[in-house]
Every structure is written in C-alpha cells, then in structure tokens.
Amino acid sequence: MSTAALDAIRWTADGLVPVIAQEAGSGRVLMFAWMNREALARTVATGEAVYWSRSRGRLWHKGEESGHVQKVRDLRLDCDADVLLLEVEQVGGIACHTGRHHCFFQALDANGDWTAVEAVLKRPDEIYRS
C-alpha cells in the first residue's frame, strides 16, 4: 500500500480509522472495528482483515484464535476519507466473539430494553479454547 494512499485517510488523533466489515453477497454489516496504518497495510498485503484492538493494545488478525478469518474482497474509503468499508467473506460464518453471525444481534424492544434477537451459532467456549 502506498504512503500516498495511507496519507489520504483522515486518521483520528490516536492514529486510528473506524472500519465497517460488511458481508460479501448479503451486504449485511458484520462488525465494527478500528485500524491503524500498520493494520491497514497488513490487511492489504495479506488479503485478510487485521484490526487494531484497543482493548488488547495490539494488532489483531481477525480469526487468529477462532479461525473465523475475514477474507477481504473489496476495500472502500468514504467520501470524507474518515471511514473504511471492508467487503469480506466471513470464514466459518461467525464474526462475533459471542458465537453469532454478526455483532449487531441486540434490538431495542417495545419496553426500551436491548434484547438478543439472533441465535448463537457456536458457544464461545467451543470457539475459544484457553
């Protein structure tokens, strides 16, 4: 990835850019994450999503523990140059660490509470063996 392409992005003060991972074919939003310059460069070089994990304080190759990698099919920068959109093939069909297909599984119900409306496809203890 060229330096000019990296410089075209409007990075946050922390050197990050928000990233939306969208499923190729269905168009469903799978998850939201962050990238720094190195994560984006590695994503482009490997063809698999690499994010910056704020909680871990390090690069995070999506699926490094679970095997549920994201193969990048297309990469887009929005009109303000401050959000990336990754169109991905989600290997294993599970993008969320909760074992669901995507991370947006909670819906606001009629009582004003968040309710899980998507099934767990695989229990996290079956995915992540410590």
Side-chain angles (χ1 to χ4, degrees), residues 66-87:
S66 67
H68 299 145
V69 299
Q70 293 177 337
K71 296 180 184 250
V72 178
R73 299 294 176 232
D74 196 20
L75 181 59
R76 303 284 177 108
L77 180 62
D78 82 326
C79 58
D80 294 322
D82 62 358
V83 178
L84 293 174
L85 175 67
L86 269 61
E87 185 176 299

Side-chain angles (χ1 to χ4, degrees), residues 30-52:
L30 297 175
M31 57 177 277
F32 169 85
W34 296 91
M35 284 186 179
N36 62 10
R37 292 171 77 96
E38 184 179 0
L40 179 54
R42 285 193 187 189
T43 295
V44 171
T46 64
E48 293 184 351
V50 177
Y51 299 107
W52 175 256

Side-chain angles (χ1 to χ4, degrees), residues 53-64:
S53 173
R54 295 181 307 163
S55 61
R56 295 176 182 104
R58 65 171 177 83
L59 292 177
W60 161 49
H61 182 176
K62 174 70 174 148
E64 66 190 22

